[in-house]
Amino acid sequence: MIWLHTWAGLVFCWLLYFMFVTGTLGYLDSELDSWMKPELSAAEEVSLETDLSAAVTYLQAHAADAERWFISPANHRDNPQLRVSWRYPRDSEKSNGRELINRDTGEELHHRETAGGQTLYRMHYRLHYLPSGWGFRLVGIFTLAMFIALLTGVVAHRKLFKDFFSFRPQKGKTAWLDMHNLSSIASLPFQLMITYSGLIFAISTWMPFVGVAAYDFDVKSLRADINEMRGRSSVKAAGESANLVGMDILSQNIEASINDGALVRFIEIKNPNDRNAKIFVNPHLSGPVQEQNKLQFDGRSGKLESSKEQSGALQTRNVFINLHEGLFAGPALRLLYILSGILGTLMVATGAIYYAQKRKRPTHALSKQQMLVNIVNGGTIIGLPISICIFMISNRLLAIELDQRADWEVHSMFLAWLASFVLAAFWVKDAMWKKLTLVLSIALFTVPIVNFFSTNRGLGQSSWQNDTLFVATDVVMLSMAAISLLLWAILSKKEQRQQSPIRSSNAHSAVA
Amino acid sequence: MKKLNAYFRSYNGQVLLRLIAAILIGYLASNAIGVVMAKSLDRWTSLHLSEASLYASLSAFFIYSVIILWAFSVRSQKKLWRQLSVLTFIFAVLAYVI
């Protein structure tokens, strides 16, 4: 089992590392979105009615004939601004759209074109630059490999608790193994949860056969049953126009039927301005178990029509999905999610480094293969954080009117990553880790500096009270820069000691 | 042919054979087990077929993982292939019959 652990573990290490880093940042996707739109600040939360009226007025003016409207009121970390989007039927020539709305003026909010935190988060499960669908399929395979690596890992560390308490920082490669054990065991429940729930996303991609064969290959009735289970309505437009209910009445009815203290996540209006208009209200999650299903209202009268009981199987599935996405998590739990994500990232990184160290013979020069492993290790483990810094910096430095600016933010990120690999290859024979760590530290320092000069929300320009997000980002960036600088210092010291073994042993005896 | 034979006797070849057994045959086996689970839940409990197949799908990856783990824990390669094929066959037949 131990050798399967090493195999399954290493082959997938680098991509898993990418998934862990982008996934952990995914717990801050909305925050990163806001950071990348420095022109906007979070809208104050007002009444549901105000938001809905402003949104519907806007949609009536710009997309009155759309098939579906979506409105997300500004009441949650997920929606710092009032957001609307609209969709036309698939065969329509008109294009779908989405906008952030200023509820006082009823106009769109203007902000720079940016990829935002969502794009980074999407890479976590779709990767990038791959034909649609392939990233998702690949990620499913890697997730299964991770799950198996975890299970075999538990078997490989049969002395689980003994491993947990043995950390020998001075012992070179054993220290990497200890750190690998420490970070994995400390976060094992989280890792098992996050990996298996990640697999649940891939059911229809990689395990569709179970359902299909259980239905004796009658895909049509399978689809119909799934749609019914999910409460998807099949209401068709009548083709007769009718007035949509007033938002004052609708919001009163929503507030009367939604659970106490629950907030509206988004409402969907199907066939607006039609006799068969339907309104679906989705509440925010307050925990992994969805307490209230979506509510259905009639679009003309605004009366509550139904709130169906959800099937047990679907609820079970949703608990997995909700646990994975952590949308319900408040600040404290979100922090725990992030810390567990960081531990997972460390688990993957230290596993990869330990693998490379274990194969090093002190008396032999590195083989070509070992050198390649080292380059990819350095270029991935340090290079990816560097490239994410460049992603953030490019958001500030790229010309505002640049064509396809959002794409160029992502291109800059991957170009920076490529550059890290080149640097790693260049330095692989001579203190690669030390030099890369210094580059990372500089990149991390640069983010708040560039933010200071390119916006008026830099450190010292804004305060904790009125701009928590920006101050927090600067503080986090600076602390991470300090940590990598510290790492650089430790690595330099270690290098000095290795270069002059005699002097250092003298120093040791002098201390003794 | 001789070369191929020798390769499958080598360490790497043995790993490859095991990987094929675990990943390919194991995939077939776990799908068959999933279908049997879905159909028997539908038949012998009050669950609707849609619910039963969703429960089975939710467990499918776990079943698959356990099979992969088992494939790497059986000592003899011959025993592994024999048992895994018999398992797959039985469940495929069951899935068809139920």
Side-chain angles (χ1 to χ4, degrees):
Chain A
M1 283 290 210
I2 294 174
W3 55 274
L4 175 65
H5 181 55
T6 315
W7 264 65
L10 183 89
V11 177
F12 300 104
C13 259
W14 298 311
L15 211 123
L16 278 180
Y17 181 78
F18 178 81
M19 284 168 63
F20 261 103
V21 171
T22 48
T24 306
L25 282 169
Y27 289 122
L28 295 169
D29 55 346
S30 303
E31 285 76 9
L32 195 53
D33 271 341
S34 302
W35 191 87
M36 293 176 98
K37 292 170 192 160
E39 301 86 356
L40 304 180
S41 45
E44 256 172 68
E45 191 185 333
V46 288
S47 68
L48 183 63
E49 187 192 332
T50 321
D51 274 3
L52 290 188
S53 324
V56 166
T57 313
Y58 180 88
L59 287 165
Q60 291 287 21
H62 293 88
D65 53 344
E67 186 188 32
R68 281 189 250 179
W69 291 349
F70 296 89
I71 305 170
S72 313
N75 58 8
H76 196 260
R77 74 168 267 280
D78 263 347
N79 317 308
Q81 279 88 25
L82 173 61
R83 193 174 62 207
V84 299
S85 60
W86 57 93
R87 277 196 211 144
Y88 287 96
R90 248 184 222 156
D91 49 358
S92 164
E93 280 159 25
K94 295 191 174 177
S95 58
N96 306 331
R98 53 188 310 172
E99 286 297 342
L100 300 177
I101 306 290
N102 180 340
R103 61 161 84 94
D104 298 325
T105 62
E107 297 290 313
E108 303 102 348
L109 281 167
H110 293 285
H111 59 82
R112 63 186 64 193
E113 192 199 335
T114 177
Q118 300 307 331
T119 305
L120 199 66
Y121 173 50
R122 249 174 264 136
M123 289 178 200
H124 163 66
Y125 57 85
R126 301 209 302 216
L127 311 179
H128 206 75
Y129 295 126
L130 287 174
S132 139
W134 281 101
F136 193 76
R137 280 172 212 156
L138 267 177
V139 162
I141 297 177
F142 286 109
T143 314
L144 184 66
M146 161 94 189
F147 189 62
I148 289 167
L150 272 177
L151 292 180
T152 44
V154 176
V155 182
H157 305 300
R158 252 168 299 190
K159 296 168 282 174
L160 206 66
F161 284 97
K162 191 168 159 271
D163 285 345
F164 180 67
F165 288 111
S166 52
F167 182 50
R168 294 153 284 189
Q170 300 303 328
K171 285 234 165 132
K173 69 181 180 195
T174 353
W176 290 112
L177 181 60
D178 289 345
M179 228 165 102
H180 178 67
N181 293 342
L182 194 74
S183 52
S184 354
I185 298 170
S187 57
L188 187 63
F190 173 80
Q191 308 306 346
L192 286 172
M193 178 280 282
I194 210 73
T195 325
Y196 201 72
S197 55
L199 281 173
I200 301 295
F201 285 89
I203 283 181
S204 54
T205 314
W206 284 116
M207 286 283 180
F209 188 74
V210 174
V212 174
Y215 270 79
D216 289 328
F217 298 92
D218 183 0
V219 180
K220 228 180 199 171
S221 57
L222 170 68
R223 270 211 198 117
D225 276 3
I226 289 179
N227 278 344
E228 199 202 313
M229 196 151 78
R230 292 197 167 160
R232 270 194 203 143
S233 93
S234 47
V235 186
K236 293 251 158 48
E240 266 173 66
S241 66
N243 279 342
L244 194 65
V245 62
M247 286 305 119
D248 46 343
I249 299 170
L250 180 67
S251 46
Q252 267 172 23
N253 290 353
I254 291 176
E255 272 155 3
S257 35
I258 203 167
N259 282 355
D260 270 348
L263 291 170
V264 173
R265 184 163 169 227
F266 68 93
I267 78 170
E268 175 189 345
I269 303 181
K270 200 171 176 200
N271 314 323
N273 305 319
D274 185 274
R275 193 161 55 85
N276 280 350
K278 293 281 175 244
I279 300 172
F280 304 96
V281 177
N282 295 266
H284 274 294
L285 290 169
S286 53
V289 182
Q290 197 168 3
E291 282 163 4
Q292 197 172 21
N293 297 318
K294 68 177 170 192
L295 309 167
Q296 184 181 325
F297 294 87
D298 181 69
R300 283 193 300 165
S301 65
K303 286 214 176 79
L304 180 67
E305 292 196 321
S306 74
S307 57
K308 253 191 283 175
E309 271 296 303
Q310 217 169 28
S311 87
L314 191 63
Q315 262 182 355
T316 314
R317 173 194 174 269
N318 288 350
V319 167
F320 278 113
I321 303 283
N322 294 340
L323 277 173
H324 192 96
E325 292 180 338
L327 284 175
F328 60 88
L333 193 56
R334 190 158 294 275
L335 188 67
L336 194 64
Y337 263 113
I338 293 164
L339 289 178
S340 310
I342 293 174
L343 279 178
T345 314
L346 281 179
M347 168 179 80
V348 178
T350 49
I353 295 174
Y354 173 65
Y355 178 86
Q357 296 273 327
K358 203 166 74 170
R359 277 150 188 77
K360 202 153 88 183
R361 300 274 171 277
T363 46
H364 290 57
L366 290 178
S367 71
K368 272 212 178 109
Q369 203 187 344
Q370 287 169 334
M371 233 153 17
L372 190 67
V373 170
N374 274 351
I375 292 170
V376 185
N377 263 349
T380 310
I381 295 171
I382 310 280
L384 179 60
I386 294 176
S387 70
I388 290 171
C389 291
I390 302 298
F391 178 62
M392 294 173 78
I393 292 169
S394 72
N395 171 269
R396 295 292 193 261
L397 295 187
L398 289 178
I400 298 286
E401 62 281 356
L402 184 70
D403 228 20
Q404 294 171 321
R405 190 175 188 277
D407 288 340
W408 274 105
E409 286 177 2
V410 178
H411 297 330
S412 326
M413 172 180 161
F414 281 96
L415 284 173
W417 201 6
L418 189 68
S420 316
F421 280 113
V422 174
L423 285 179
F426 208 62
W427 291 333
V428 67
K429 287 190 182 152
D430 182 30
M432 173 191 76
W433 290 101
K434 189 189 91 177
K435 291 173 181 166
L436 282 178
T437 327
L438 187 64
V439 176
L440 173 62
S441 175
I442 293 169
L444 285 162
F445 267 123
T446 315
V447 174
I449 292 171
V450 168
N451 180 48
F452 182 89
F453 287 109
S454 60
T455 67
N456 51 7
R457 295 170 81 178
L459 207 56
Q461 294 165 330
S462 57
S463 73
W464 190 259
Q465 274 83 22
N466 62 29
D467 210 351
T468 317
L469 175 68
F470 273 65
V471 180
T473 312
D474 285 342
V475 169
V476 168
M477 284 294 163
L478 289 175
S479 347
M480 289 201 299
I483 292 172
S484 14
L485 207 59
L486 189 72
L487 268 178
W488 172 77
I490 293 172
L491 288 172
S492 321
K493 213 171 153 194
K494 203 171 145 196
E495 188 189 31
Q496 267 175 6
R497 221 185 297 145
Q498 276 168 356
Q499 273 169 1
S500 51
I502 305 164
R503 216 186 309 152
S504 79
S505 69
N506 279 350
H508 273 294
S509 55
V511 170
Chain B
M1 205 58 214
K2 228 176 188 177
K3 244 184 177 172
L4 208 65
N5 237 331
Y7 175 74
F8 282 120
R9 287 223 183 98
S10 74
Y11 179 78
N12 285 351
Q14 291 278 311
V15 173
L16 186 70
L17 275 180
R18 249 175 227 267
L19 278 173
I20 293 171
I23 292 173
L24 292 183
I25 317 279
Y27 184 72
L28 294 179
S30 47
N31 270 302
I33 295 173
V35 176
V36 171
M37 185 179 163
K39 284 191 168 182
S40 35
L41 277 178
D42 173 52
R43 177 164 289 197
W44 288 294
T45 67
S46 58
L47 285 174
H48 188 255
L49 183 58
S50 63
E51 296 241 305
S53 33
L54 184 50
Y55 275 123
S57 303
L58 288 176
S59 335
F61 274 114
F62 187 73
I63 299 170
Y64 191 20
S65 311
V66 170
I67 292 179
I68 294 178
L69 286 185
W70 172 69
F72 278 90
S73 67
V74 175
R75 248 164 235 270
S76 139
Q77 186 96 235
K78 265 190 198 143
K79 208 171 130 193
L80 162 71
W81 281 84
R82 201 173 50 230
Q83 290 182 344
L84 196 54
S85 343
V86 169
L87 181 87
T88 314
F89 182 73
I90 290 176
F91 274 94
V93 169
L94 276 178
Y96 189 75
V97 172
I98 298 181

